[in-house]
Amino acid sequence: MSFKPSFNFGSKNNSNEEDDEYSFGGSSLDPTSQFSHTQHLKQPLVGAQKVSNPYLPPQTGRIGGITNRQSDGRLMTAQGTIIGKDGQRPMTSVRAVGYSSNKKSFDPLQQHRGPAPPLEEKSDSSPEEQAKKKERKVHDLVEKSAAAAYNGDSVMALERAKEAGKKEKQLCKFREKHGLSEGINLDLTYSVCFNLASMFHMNKMYGEALNTYQLIVKNKQYPQAGRLRVNMGNIYYEQKKYANAIKMYRMAMDQIPNTSKEIRFKIRRNIGVCSLRQGNFADAIDNFETVLENAKPEDTGFSDFLTPFNLLVCYYAVGDSNKMKRTFTRLISVPLPGSTDEDEEEEKSREEDTHEHKERDPLRVEVVKRQKSAKRLILIGAKLIAPYIDPREWVSGYEWLIESLKQDYPVIASEMEIKKAVTYLRMKQFDKAIEVFKSFEKKDHALKAKAATNLSFLYFLEQKNQLADKYANLAVRYDRYNAKALVNKGNCLYASGEYEKAKELYLESIGVEADCVEAIYNLGLVNKKIGVLNESLQAFEKLHTIVPDSPEVI
């Protein structure tokens, strides 16, 4: 079915309006037929033209928005102004909806109510408002306690935590008294108690911390509070109550779902550490092996160096050299935090930009801290097992470790070479030690300083003072804040009779490292040599407090 407009030219109300009306479907478009309040026209409009296309409205000859047609008073709509008997008057097409130029209040329903009165302010003396104020005070005290703990002021943190606990109890009583028990904030109570227990723990008040944790754990309104048994286990571990710590760790792990793999593996690692402390190496090895087999870095997303290091210690205690080598290989295969190619490129760009290098972001500082911790564990593990990898030939153990570390950890490999040379010294194989130390002449400045310090010491013992002075100068030049290098240089000056210069170097060494035994002892000797006995006596008395059983000092 199609809809077509019909055009009836000749349908009219008056015989004189023959050429003025257009109707669609027989309905007239005469404005007087739509608005009864207007005057009925007796004459047709002048200037209207017939159109050949019936779909288009008639042309009116508008110029600039004003029509050229004239009327005897007929009102036109949406056409600007028209000329009537009384001259021009304003357009009236918007008056029918109630608009006018008079500034009156909008009141279409004629209710005459006027503007709405202002909202009434709530009274501060109501119990609900008082409770909210008290709650805000408790929040503020908890935040101040946490801020003090972050800044290292444990005493102030504990005082704020205790005050927050008191205020929170008063708040609960106030709500119960005024019938506002439904508004008691359980989350606020939990945070106050947890913060108080943490502050007790920070201040080594283990009994109070355990009691506070126990109150939270036993409260059935906190179904997830069982995880806090990990903190209780940590407290027992610090108290060296390893059996109680293991019990708490196991109870905490029972309440943690299997989906939280990372937390479960860390708790199991804690159980292994407690077993290691107890000397139960079999259980410790079992726990550590379980963690290593399941908690792979590509699955968990975190680099775990502690677990393979602790397992390495267990195998060292058992004396299994093959498993020591295997575990050390697993230790160095763990990726360092922030060791991706993108991170390395970002670090290079930071080093090129001096401003960014000076103002590192906290996240980067944390990554560097973790990297140093990981490298420290690797170095300690290597030094621990090196002499015991091959009981028949200790040198082969060092060589195997150095080869394993050269690719990913060249600095640690160089440290192991220095350790090998020091082992030669202990076995009085001076020629081999000198040979190893001389191989560091073309390496990093820090390694050069360490090697030159040891070479200076060796040549000084062999009474080759020129060579000793040469390497002492190299060590001081590479690292001015190396206390051992300053002592060696002072010894060379002492041997050549330059006692005042030697004294200055000994004092400088003590300034770098306050408990440098060699520097304090040599300072006493040089003061005695130049006749300053009081200062010499002071140096020996200070040294006696550090090493009270030394016969040379006495």
Side-chain angles (χ1 to χ4, degrees), residues 342-358:
E342 295 179 358
D343 293 329
E344 290 178 358
E345 292 177 1
E346 182 180 354
E347 181 63 20
K348 288 181 181 178
S349 64
R350 286 174 181 271
E351 291 178 357
E352 292 175 359
D353 192 344
T354 56
H355 297 289
E356 289 189 7
H357 184 67
K358 290 180 181 179

Side-chain angles (χ1 to χ4, degrees), residues 524 527 532-543:
N527 284 330
V532 187
L533 300 181
N534 290 332
E535 294 183 7
S536 177
L537 183 61
Q538 289 178 1
F540 287 126
E541 287 177 349
K542 179 180 178 180
L543 189 59

Side-chain angles (χ1 to χ4, degrees), residues 184-241:
I184 293 178
N185 192 343
L186 296 177
D187 293 335
L188 179 61
T189 305
Y190 177 85
S191 63
V192 169
C193 293
F194 175 70
N195 182 64
L196 181 60
S198 300
M199 296 307 110
F200 278 135
H201 187 185
M202 181 180 289
N203 285 272
K204 309 296 182 183
M205 301 173 67
Y206 298 126
E208 291 82 352
L210 289 172
N211 291 335
T212 309
Y213 279 128
Q214 198 72 23
L215 291 174
I216 302 174
V217 170
K218 289 185 176 181
N219 193 335
K220 295 182 179 180
Q221 293 178 328
Y222 307 126
Q224 303 296 331
R227 300 186 178 191
L228 295 182
R229 293 188 184 276
V230 175
N231 294 7
M232 299 173 70
N234 293 340
I235 293 174
Y236 282 125
Y237 179 83
E238 292 181 17
Q239 292 179 316
K240 299 183 179 180
K241 298 178 180 179

Side-chain angles (χ1 to χ4, degrees), residues 433-450:
I434 292 172
E435 182 181 353
V436 175
F437 284 133
K438 284 185 176 180
S439 65
F440 285 91
E441 291 181 357
K442 296 182 180 181
K443 293 191 177 182
D444 185 68
H445 289 311
L447 299 175
K448 283 181 182 179
K450 291 183 179 180

